[in-house]
Amino acid sequence: MVKSVLKEVAPRLREVLAAIDNWEQVEEIRLRLNRPLVIKGRFGEYGINYFMQKCQVIDSYIVTNEDISRTIQIMSKNSWYALEEEVRSGYLTLENGHRVGIVGKVILEQGRIKNIKHVSGLNIRLAREIRGSANQIMRQLFLQGELLSTLIISPPGCGKTTLLRDIARQLSNQGFNVVIIDERSEIAACYHGCPQLDVGLRTDVLDGCPKAEGITMALRGMSPQLIITDEIGHPADGLALAEAMKSGVKVISSCHGDSLADVRQRQWVKECSSLFQQAIVLSRRNGPGTIEQVLKWK
Amino acid sequence: MIICSSGLIGLIMANTYMTRPLNLYHLQLAIQLLETEINYARSSLPEACSRIAEQIKQPVASFFGEFAANLQSLESPTVIEAWNRALQILKEAGFLKEDLEIMAQLGNVLGQSDADDQIKHLSLLQNRLASAIKQAEQERDKNVRLWNYLGFCVGALVVLLLF
């Protein structure tokens, strides 16, 4: 599945990237105009030279303008105009859930970003689901058979999103009606509104929807038992979550931070922290998704 | 015999003048549909073009169908490659060189810019096609009757001269 990204890049790059032999560990493929190609992952980083062999980044294949523009054309199905919304937010989601960050010359119109011209860099982030990544945490989510509203606190890169996806999948398959408010299309990696990753049998996804509005929409129409969303940060998100929890819906949400004390400072927490029943703090100590601390209120 | 075959040649010539405005008209209609697809639905080119192929008359339909198929083919050609390859269909269907040139220009820009820009290009093309249609209609009015009669007259003349 990870390898499916090959058909989304320029033909020339397909040949070069064929040298990757550890697809399972690759996290990012970085294309920067006139600079070396970089493959990143848990192993660190490497490049691929002109003899299609792995090498130091400094000796790596130099990405040309042709490579980038062809890749963009293929990714956009030759229809750049169809992606304006996505480009404005800085990334595209591809058919298999891979996400591509875009940088270049930003065109403004009345102070708002209108488009990106002369694309100079692409960061292809490979989507992968790690089934069972939530196995450890699943036990913590219940107290005497009752699901607890949980706040997952973690610094970036500790596997929050992967974890939330697996929680959604497992709980949904256990019989919970789950709604995912996927503002940044990261949890379910929707393409044309349809989840590309397994989020469970009873899961509905509001893709690209602002969290506060999405939570209200879900409450109105989808009768969720559990709402999952990531990276709350705005006071309005806190209010909407509080509204959901008051009406008896459980919430599992993540936010950036190192500890509960750190998170407590934030404005949105004041709106809803008392309604969460527990907080779980993650770190990267023993690989992504290490549970550091479980704090139960109840 | 001579009168018949000569008359037939005349009719065929007349027919080419009849079909050109009609073909161009269908082409213009298709471009209009494409503009709508881009403007309102933001559909991708392969999606939009295969839908247009279902709605429009031949030979324009097979042109758009072929273009969509080319775009989706495995070797992922550029728009201009896919477009020019599909234009062969119009060429074989008897489109004039000047009409093909108008179309060829669109291949350079299609899909490469934001929606506003695409729509400008498409309306420009529609205007050019409209004037080509007008010209084709004038030629049709002038030439169709001429060729219809000319074929038979020449046939008759040849017969007269022979005997």
Side-chain angles (χ1 to χ4, degrees), chain A residues 7 9 11 14 66 70 73-74 76-84 109 114-115 192, chain B residues 38 42-47 71 74-79 111-116 118:
Chain A
K7 69 175 174 23
V9 300
R14 269 175 224 172
E66 164 86 3
R70 290 284 282 127
Q73 282 169 14
I74 295 169
S76 67
K77 298 209 179 345
N78 291 302
S79 316
W80 182 250
Y81 57 82
L83 296 176
E84 278 169 44
E109 193 178 70
K114 182 165 182 277
N115 207 339
H192 287 185
Chain B
I38 290 179
R42 296 280 195 272
S43 343
S44 66
L45 283 179
E47 213 181 317
L71 283 180
L74 266 181
E75 71 260 41
S76 35
T78 56
V79 173
Q112 311 287 316
S113 55
D114 60 17
D116 295 345
Q118 293 287 302

Side-chain angles (χ1 to χ4, degrees), chain A residues 6-17:
Chain A
L6 277 183
K7 69 175 174 23
E8 304 278 1
V9 300
R12 174 82 186 123
L13 288 174
R14 269 175 224 172
E15 291 169 24
V16 176
L17 293 177

Side-chain angles (χ1 to χ4, degrees), chain A residues 248-268:
Chain A
V249 178
K250 301 296 175 190
V251 170
I252 296 180
S253 179
S254 69
C255 70
H256 280 301
D258 292 325
S259 66
L260 188 61
D262 176 22
V263 171
R264 277 250 159 92
Q265 312 284 327
R266 318 254 175 89
Q267 185 60 36
W268 64 266

Side-chain angles (χ1 to χ4, degrees), chain A residues 176-181 201-207 213-227 249:
Chain A
F176 285 91
N177 260 338
V178 181
V179 174
I180 298 178
I181 319 287
L201 304 173
R202 299 174 189 83
T203 302
D204 300 298
V205 182
L206 269 168
D207 182 41
E213 278 101 323
I215 291 164
T216 325
M217 278 165 75
L219 285 175
R220 262 187 228 135
M222 301 310 290
S223 63
Q225 290 165 295
L226 169 64
I227 291 179
V249 178

Side-chain angles (χ1 to χ4, degrees), chain B:
Chain B
M1 242 279 280
I2 295 173
I3 297 180
C4 276
S5 55
S6 165
L8 201 65
I9 293 171
L11 288 179
I12 290 170
M13 284 303 289
N15 195 43
T16 57
Y17 285 103
M18 295 279 279
T19 49
R20 184 177 167 225
L22 209 62
N23 279 340
L24 286 177
Y25 172 72
H26 288 307
L27 203 53
Q28 192 195 22
L29 211 62
I31 298 296
Q32 210 172 347
L33 284 172
L34 184 59
E35 187 186 320
T36 315
E37 285 280 355
I38 290 179
N39 198 5
Y40 294 103
R42 296 280 195 272
S43 343
S44 66
L45 283 179
E47 213 181 317
C49 289
S50 35
R51 221 167 333 188
I52 290 168
E54 289 164 14
Q55 295 172 31
I56 211 94
K57 288 225 164 68
Q58 294 294 359
V60 179
S62 22
F63 165 71
F64 276 91
E66 172 80 6
F67 175 55
N70 285 348
L71 283 180
Q72 283 163 307
S73 68
L74 266 181
E75 71 260 41
S76 35
T78 56
V79 173
I80 184 81
E81 285 163 10
W83 185 258
N84 287 343
R85 227 182 292 161
L87 276 177
Q88 284 301 318
I89 290 186
L90 294 186
K91 199 174 173 190
E92 281 158 24
F95 272 68
L96 293 185
K97 203 176 159 215
E98 54 196 274
D99 299 337
L100 290 173
E101 271 165 13
I102 300 179
M103 287 296 285
Q105 286 173 7
L106 186 67
N108 287 319
V109 291
L110 200 58
Q112 311 287 316
S113 55
D114 60 17
D116 295 345
D117 196 56
Q118 293 287 302
I119 288 159
K120 272 182 216 149
H121 284 298
L122 289 172
S123 0
L124 182 71
L125 179 63
Q126 283 180 53
N127 290 340
R128 297 190 63 184
L129 284 173
S131 58
I133 290 173
K134 207 175 252 173
Q135 187 212 344
E137 277 170 350
Q138 280 167 1
E139 273 174 30
R140 177 192 64 190
D141 295 342
K142 214 164 42 183
N143 293 321
V144 164
R145 209 176 294 163
L146 175 77
W147 278 102
N148 275 343
Y149 293 130
L150 196 67
F152 287 104
C153 289
V154 169
L157 192 69
V158 170
V159 172
L160 275 179
L161 287 175
L162 279 177
F163 301 99

Side-chain angles (χ1 to χ4, degrees), chain A residues 158-229:
Chain A
C158 293
K160 278 189 307 294
T161 310
T162 317
L163 194 70
L164 281 176
R165 184 184 309 127
D166 203 48
I167 291 175
R169 182 181 69 83
Q170 297 203 22
L171 289 176
S172 167
N173 289 348
Q174 281 174 24
F176 285 91
N177 260 338
V178 181
V179 174
I180 298 178
I181 319 287
D182 201 0
E183 183 165 357
R184 306 200 300 169
S185 307
E186 275 184 318
I187 305 180
C190 290
Y191 177 78
H192 287 185
C194 181
Q196 299 293 309
L197 301 173
D198 185 3
V199 286
L201 304 173
R202 299 174 189 83
T203 302
D204 300 298
V205 182
L206 269 168
D207 182 41
C209 182
K211 282 179 278 273
E213 278 101 323
I215 291 164
T216 325
M217 278 165 75
L219 285 175
R220 262 187 228 135
M222 301 310 290
S223 63
Q225 290 165 295
L226 169 64
I227 291 179
I228 290 186
T229 174

